[in-house]
Amino acid sequence: MTEPAISRVAMLTVHTSPLDPPGSGDAGGLNVYVIEVARRLAAAGVEVEIFTRATTAAMPATVEAAPGVLVRHVVAGPYEGLGKEDLPGQLCAFTAGVMRAVAAHPEGHYDVVHSHYWLSGQVGWLAAERWDVPLVHTMHTMARVKNRSLADGDRPEPPGREIGEAQVVAAADRLIANTDVEARELVELYGADPRRVAVVPPGVDLDVFRPGDRAAARAAVGLTHDDLVVLFVGRIQRLKAPDLLLKAAARLGERDPERDIARRLRVIVLGGPSGSGLEQPRELHNLARDLGIADRVTFAPPGPRAELADYMRAADLVAVPSYSESFGLVALEAQACGIPVVAAAVGGLPKAVGAGILVPTHDVDDWADALAALLLHPSRRAALGREAVAHARTFGWEATTAALLSVYGEAVAHRRATGGGR
């Protein structure tokens, strides 16, 4: 079956805009994925329109994010005051806004709808049927996966989300999984047809995230040559487990009779509150104080991608202690900068981490051991740093985009051959 050419793609990301900087609120790896793929698709000659919910009146209705990439802000509910858990009640309004926005387009304007996260999949389900095009869906996270490995004190995802995800899985012409593990979870936990699941790993911007001058990077972010720097990047919520990292850092100090590590160790938390973390935005600051390491922990807000790369180049290691990760773009970005990673052995992280240490538990002592194994052995860090760069270079966004185009083409060809059936 010859794959047809793809000329226009409609992308849907209801709950977070690709223009929002990742690291706080609901902005994370999904945002990076959407904008990076859209840019590469446009560079390959495919026009992309991204539909997202408007969250401020100050934002224009349409924004050209890059040549060939148009972001449309759809009014659905009040601009502010709605959390992600409130958005199912706005899906009808969002869908109506999408339909109004494209009403003037001729039939067959889009070749594919690609939705991201289950909320968008609900809208994409209707849009794809209305436009008679295939629905390609990427889950990014799944409730049934998250609920199997909750952090202490975290709330489980509600049954309504699980039902909504299962509906999208059943409706989609193709499902994009980041890893073989995620593909298996779609089949085993949601009953997905394996023939409709395609594994397409995310990528990394190798122009932004690359090795560089560590001394210059440390000067740029206010660190000294003597510091031992552990970096956490991500949204501050229980799922991401930054509290575990602080406890492990404190445990290292307790084991250090000479106080050398305690004197030199610096933990940088780069991100803002999200999800359950919004309820107690100072909880992590208070934990650092209670552990007696407040003077060694720096909290910094998320910023531009180039600034993130500087923080990574300044670090001795990047820690990803999450309880659940569909992939872990932060781990890949750190390795592209030549920085080894200590990560939880969950979800897609074993695929993302090619140079570092995978920790099989969320035990504080196990994490303190893993941190010490790199912080106390600079030669090992250096060797892993070289391996990290080589590993990351196998994950370019161009490869991701080429694979997605192939999946789009297969979905279109199959739909035409079967008269709309899957």
Side-chain angles (χ1 to χ4, degrees), residues 230-254:
V230 177
L231 175 65
F232 170 91
V233 178
R235 290 167 287 159
I236 299 176
Q237 57 179 213
R238 291 189 177 96
L239 175 72
K240 301 293 185 180
D243 60 310
L244 172 60
L245 179 59
L246 296 193
K247 292 171 185 175
R251 187 65 51 85
L252 276 180
E254 294 168 4

Side-chain angles (χ1 to χ4, degrees), residues 19 24 53 65 69 115 126 158 162 177 185 202 223 263 272 290 303 315 322 330 341 354 415:
L19 302 180
S24 63
R53 195 178 78 87
V69 179
S115 54
L126 189 150
E162 292 191 22
E185 290 167 342
L223 296 166
R263 177 182 61 82
D290 295 343
S322 306
V330 164
V341 174
R415 189 176 186 87

Side-chain angles (χ1 to χ4, degrees), residues 169-170 175 183 185-197:
V169 167
L175 294 158
E185 290 167 342
L186 282 165
V187 173
E188 294 177 355
L189 299 180
Y190 290 88
D193 182 346
R195 295 170 298 179
R196 292 191 285 118
V197 180

Side-chain angles (χ1 to χ4, degrees), residues 139-142 178-179 182 185 324-328 346-349:
M139 296 291 272
H140 292 282
T141 64
M142 293 182 278
N178 289 327
T179 65
E182 187 179 3
E185 290 167 342
S324 177
E325 286 286 352
S326 62
F327 187 72
V346 299
L349 284 168

Side-chain angles (χ1 to χ4, degrees), residues 138-162:
T138 304
M139 296 291 272
H140 292 282
T141 64
M142 293 182 278
R144 290 173 181 168
V145 174
K146 293 175 71 173
N147 286 345
R148 289 191 308 179
S149 53
L150 287 174
D152 290 341
D154 211 357
R155 292 190 304 270
E157 295 296 318
R161 175 179 170 181
E162 292 191 22

Side-chain angles (χ1 to χ4, degrees), residues 356-417:
I357 296 175
L358 291 168
V359 186
T361 76
H362 286 86
D363 178 80
V364 173
D365 283 309
D366 289 346
W367 271 82
D369 290 342
L371 296 179
L374 292 186
L375 291 176
L376 301 182
H377 300 282
S379 60
R380 186 181 183 191
R381 288 202 310 271
L384 285 174
R386 292 188 291 271
E387 293 176 20
V389 174
H391 173 71
R393 283 177 179 163
T394 65
F395 291 88
W397 282 114
E398 288 76 12
T400 302
T401 303
L404 285 176
L405 276 172
S406 180
V407 174
Y408 294 165
E410 290 173 4
V412 171
H414 188 267
R415 189 176 186 87
R416 290 175 182 174

